[in-house]
Amino acid sequence: MNAILISVVIGAVVAVLAAWLMAMPVFWSIAVALPITAVTAMALMALGVAAPSWQALPTPDETLTMHQASSLSSRLAEAAKDPGRFRTRVQPRLRRLAADTLRRKGISLGDDRAREVLGAELHTLITKRDAQLPSPDRLAELLGRLEGK
């Protein structure tokens, strides 16, 4: 309602100015003011429609963590069936994880102390070429120990 009132006032001002400053007949000043009044009313009514909405978008059902977890589980399932995949996909990542953990303690993966710190089973798993992927429960336990060290 305010938009219509404001546009009528603007139209009246335009009609008065056209009649007074340009010495235009009243009929023509009203004819010039009507389209200006209509455009002003439409612009003022549409003003709130174009305002941006700053609400946060809803979170998608699939998050990146879920995708990474499913990717990891599929790689581990493939590695359990195919030792070559374990050697090429899983073992290098485990080796980097162990090396980073050891580096924080000032130990390199090639040191003799690395076997003591990691434990014989985990050290064998990440360093031996013919290492076999343990059961999922045992792997989770080994990785848990690696995180805790």
Side-chain angles (χ1 to χ4, degrees):
M1 189 67 177
N2 287 337
I4 294 174
L5 181 63
I6 292 172
S7 61
V8 168
V9 170
I10 290 175
V13 169
V14 167
V16 169
L17 288 175
W20 178 53
L21 291 177
M22 296 193 210
M24 200 179 274
V26 175
F27 172 76
W28 287 111
S29 63
I30 292 173
V32 168
L34 282 177
I36 293 172
T37 303
V39 169
T40 304
M42 287 189 297
L44 289 174
M45 284 189 254
L47 189 62
V49 175
S53 173
W54 297 107
Q55 294 177 353
L57 293 174
T59 57
D61 291 338
E62 266 191 39
T63 61
L64 185 61
T65 306
M66 289 174 58
H67 174 69
Q68 289 175 345
S70 70
S71 174
L72 178 62
S73 68
S74 67
R75 284 192 176 157
L76 288 173
E78 291 171 354
K81 295 175 189 171
D82 183 8
R85 287 187 187 239
F86 171 72
R87 281 192 305 276
T88 59
R89 289 185 165 191
V90 178
Q91 198 176 31
R93 287 178 174 86
L94 291 176
R95 192 176 302 121
R96 279 193 301 267
L97 181 64
D100 287 344
T101 302
L102 290 172
R103 191 175 306 119
R104 282 186 238 128
K105 295 179 176 273
I107 304 170
S108 79
L109 193 57
D111 288 349
D112 293 333
R113 285 190 26 196
R115 187 174 190 83
E116 295 170 16
V117 171
L118 293 176
E121 186 177 3
L122 182 58
H123 188 269
T124 301
L125 181 68
I126 62 174
T127 57
K128 299 295 181 188
R129 183 162 171 74
D130 60 344
Q132 296 293 320
L133 185 66
S135 70
D137 293 335
R138 185 63 184 149
L139 182 62
E141 184 181 319
L142 291 172
L143 293 179
R145 281 193 351 209
L146 184 61
E147 288 178 350
K149 293 208 182 256

